[in-house]
Amino acid sequence: MKLNEINDNPGSSKDRMRVGRGIGSGKGKTGGRGVKGQKSRTGVAIKGFEGGQMPLHRRLPKRGFTNIFAKDYNEVSLGRVQTAIDAGKLDATKPVTVEALKEAGVLRRVQDGVRLLGVGELKVAVNFEIAGASKPAIEAVEKAGGSVKLLAVKAEKTDAE
């Protein structure tokens, strides 16, 4: 056997369909696009168009607003922190910060800060230095002998300053 004698198995690869190459090809004339009109042309995609019917995004009522200044926090539960400590990924003797949680693999990416939630149980005394925490979370940490230090979240600069 030589390299120039090696072939694919018969039928393992198909030639691509050449569109718009005459009626004998089976994909001629309109080239699989139907007939006439804007959508038979290239480069046309009418987003949300429903054939003249009022589109869904215009039928539904507008509600509320989105606060563009809202902070997006990473939410971490006490149970998740305890799991990381049990696995030896997080050191309970040092203060637990955003960087420590990221290195331990508790967080994938850091957002505007970390908010601690009271889901789960904390068995060791841990000192947290984070952006926010719920009341049950603070109570559970203090009950275990730890502390929660809330950091001031950096505000975005505005033109008025």
Side-chain angles (χ1 to χ4, degrees):
M1 179 182 277
K2 298 185 181 100
L3 286 176
N4 66 331
E5 294 173 354
I6 297 173
N7 286 348
D8 279 342
N9 295 329
S12 66
S13 63
K14 263 171 75 172
D15 293 337
R16 72 178 181 85
M17 172 61 78
R18 296 183 69 217
V19 176
R21 295 294 183 272
I23 56 171
S25 72
K27 273 280 193 287
K29 193 179 169 225
T30 53
R33 288 181 176 270
V35 289
K36 298 183 185 175
Q38 183 181 13
K39 290 192 134 183
S40 68
R41 310 288 190 256
T42 185
V44 177
I46 306 164
K47 299 278 191 294
F49 186 71
E50 296 186 23
Q53 174 176 296
M54 189 62 67
L56 181 68
H57 63 87
R58 289 187 60 195
R59 290 199 300 266
L60 298 175
K62 291 190 284 187
R63 291 273 305 172
F65 80 108
T66 303
N67 182 3
I68 61 170
F69 301 109
K71 298 292 178 201
D72 193 15
Y73 293 116
N74 294 97
E75 292 173 346
V76 176
S77 67
L78 291 174
R80 184 80 180 84
V81 173
Q82 184 62 50
T83 306
I85 292 169
D86 292 342
K89 294 179 179 178
L90 198 60
D91 188 6
T93 58
K94 295 178 183 170
V96 175
T97 61
V98 181
E99 291 78 25
L101 290 169
K102 189 173 189 304
E103 286 171 21
V106 177
L107 305 179
R108 183 175 291 160
R109 65 185 64 83
V110 178
Q111 295 170 322
D112 292 324
V114 169
R115 183 168 159 79
L116 192 64
L117 302 180
V119 181
E121 191 180 352
L122 195 64
K123 298 171 189 147
V124 292
V126 184
N127 297 325
F128 289 95
E129 292 180 9
I130 49 178
S134 66
K135 277 185 184 175
I138 293 171
E139 289 168 7
V141 170
E142 288 173 350
K143 184 180 165 192
S147 66
V148 177
K149 180 183 174 189
L150 299 180
L151 306 173
V153 180
K154 294 174 197 159
E156 300 291 321
K157 283 214 169 208
T158 59
D159 294 334
E161 290 179 347

